[in-house]
């Protein structure tokens, strides 16, 4: 039986997709796409972050020098340089504002994993370190869509790890029906510590996704100021 990860990684088509409905990539020229209609909605919205680490600059330069040298005694061990990668710890998170004005965050830092059946009706599956194939997944209860005013899906890099230019990262948004949405974090932003990826807004009962991909050099408090959620922040530490 196929798993949800096979659908997220594109290895299988989502059986709930029909016809040409496969995926939609949100870009600068086409940044928006509706997630739900105005009618009743059931099920959960899956938001998945997965990434791979780019090969380190040191190993790339070493490989280049090796390739320029003549083969004297034995073949080059190219694979050993290609497989040398840096560990990168990306975290998937969401700032939310509910219809009643309540604001908050769902994120691994501080273990704010949320709840699907009670406010904020958002739940993070856990904290995946160093880019396992399944990545990190967040669930959003679409049956409570009228309770949402706006959701900011963002990614941050935990303190002490390499920056965004060391990774190939992608967020996929998979609704119960229709195409999955993909947002690639392709820009080189070596000094950035956080990235606002996509904003989901309730527009007259319909949830609309809008690509943001805005990198900031700071952390959650800086994203908060940028989008005006108005929360108070303090320094947090991640349990290993």
């Amino acid at each position: 039986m196929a798993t949800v990860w096979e659908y997220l990684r594109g290895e299988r088509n989502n059986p709930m997709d029909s016809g040409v409905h496969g995926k939609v990539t949100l870009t600068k020229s086409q940044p928006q796409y509706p997630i739900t209609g105005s009618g009743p909605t059931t099920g959960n919205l899956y938001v998945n972050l997965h990434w791979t680490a780019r090969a380190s600059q040191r190993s790339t330069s070493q490989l280049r020098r090796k390739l320029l040298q003549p083969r004297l005694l034995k073949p080059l061990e190219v694979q050993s340089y290609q497989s040398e990668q840096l560990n990168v710890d990306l975290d998937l998170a969401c700032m939310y504002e509910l219809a009643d004005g309540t604001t908050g965050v769902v994120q691994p830092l501080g273990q704010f994993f949320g709840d699907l059946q009670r406010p904020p009706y958002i739940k993070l599956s856990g904290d995946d370190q160093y880019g396992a194939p399944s990545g990190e997944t967040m669930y959003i209860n679409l049956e409570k869509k009228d309770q949402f005013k706006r959701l900011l899906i963002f990614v941050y890099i935990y303190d002490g790890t390499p920056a965004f230019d060391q990774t190939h990262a992608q967020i996929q948004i998979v609704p119960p029906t229709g195409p999955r949405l993909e947002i690639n974090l392709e820009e080189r932003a070596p000094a950035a510590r956080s990235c606002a990826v996509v904003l989901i807004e309730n527009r007259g009962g319909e949830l609309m996704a809008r690509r943001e991909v805005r990198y900031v050099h700071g952390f959650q408090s800086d994203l908060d100021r940028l989008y005006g959620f108005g929360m108070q922040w303090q320094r947090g530490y991640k349990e290993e």
Side-chain angles (χ1 to χ4, degrees):
M1 180 178 295
T3 67
V4 66
W5 308 121
E6 291 177 302
Y7 304 134
L8 291 170
R9 295 196 298 268
E11 296 172 1
R12 291 175 179 261
N13 291 326
N14 191 328
M16 302 193 73
D17 293 344
S18 60
V20 297
H21 297 302
K23 69 175 181 179
V24 173
T25 301
L26 299 185
T27 63
K28 290 181 180 179
S29 59
Q30 295 181 323
Q32 296 190 122
Y33 196 87
I35 295 175
T36 63
S38 56
T41 303
T42 60
N44 296 326
L45 185 71
Y46 296 89
V47 181
N48 178 260
L49 163 69
H50 62 274
W51 71 93
T52 57
R54 301 178 191 267
S56 67
Q57 293 181 354
R58 176 177 174 272
S59 61
T60 303
S61 61
Q62 284 181 344
L63 176 58
R64 187 178 298 113
R65 288 197 298 271
K66 285 286 186 180
L67 290 174
L68 292 175
Q69 295 174 1
R71 298 185 180 185
L72 298 177
L73 299 176
K74 60 180 180 179
L76 293 177
E77 297 178 359
V78 177
Q79 181 61 36
S80 63
Y81 293 99
Q82 290 178 335
S83 61
E84 183 181 347
Q85 294 182 329
L86 295 171
N87 284 335
V88 181
D89 186 7
L90 301 184
D91 282 341
L92 175 66
C94 176
M95 291 186 198
Y96 59 84
E97 182 178 2
L98 302 183
D100 64 2
T102 301
T103 58
V105 65
V106 175
Q107 63 177 20
L109 192 61
Q111 298 187 329
F112 296 110
F113 292 111
D115 193 295
L116 268 181
Q117 305 306 320
R118 297 189 295 271
Y121 309 111
I122 306 165
K123 186 171 179 60
L124 190 64
S125 64
D127 179 20
D128 165 52
Q129 296 184 356
Y130 309 137
S134 62
E136 294 187 4
T137 300
M138 184 179 295
Y139 305 88
I140 299 172
N141 188 345
L142 291 181
E143 296 179 7
K144 302 295 185 179
K145 68 172 186 174
D146 292 337
Q147 303 296 321
F148 301 132
K149 181 177 180 180
R150 56 175 177 154
L151 310 174
L152 178 66
I153 307 299
F154 67 98
V155 176
Y156 64 93
I157 297 179
Y158 184 65
D159 196 19
T161 60
F164 281 101
D165 65 338
Q166 304 286 350
T167 67
H168 299 277
Q170 182 186 80
I171 278 187
Q172 296 186 5
I173 299 174
V174 185
T177 60
R180 72 178 185 270
L181 308 182
E182 294 184 352
I183 305 99
N184 296 308
L185 278 61
E186 300 173 322
E187 290 85 345
R188 292 296 186 102
R193 308 296 305 183
S194 306
C195 179
V197 181
V198 60
L199 185 66
I200 299 174
E201 296 178 293
N202 190 328
R203 300 182 182 177
E206 180 180 53
L207 296 184
M208 177 70 71
R210 187 182 75 208
R211 177 188 185 274
E212 297 289 310
V213 190
R214 299 176 69 177
Y215 294 91
V216 299
H217 293 180
F219 294 94
Q220 289 90 327
S221 59
D222 299 278
L223 283 176
D224 187 335
R225 283 192 290 271
L226 190 62
Y227 285 88
F229 282 87
M231 290 182 279
Q232 299 295 320
W233 298 88
Q234 62 184 8
R235 184 66 174 172
Y237 298 91
K238 196 173 187 179
E239 293 184 4
E240 298 296 337

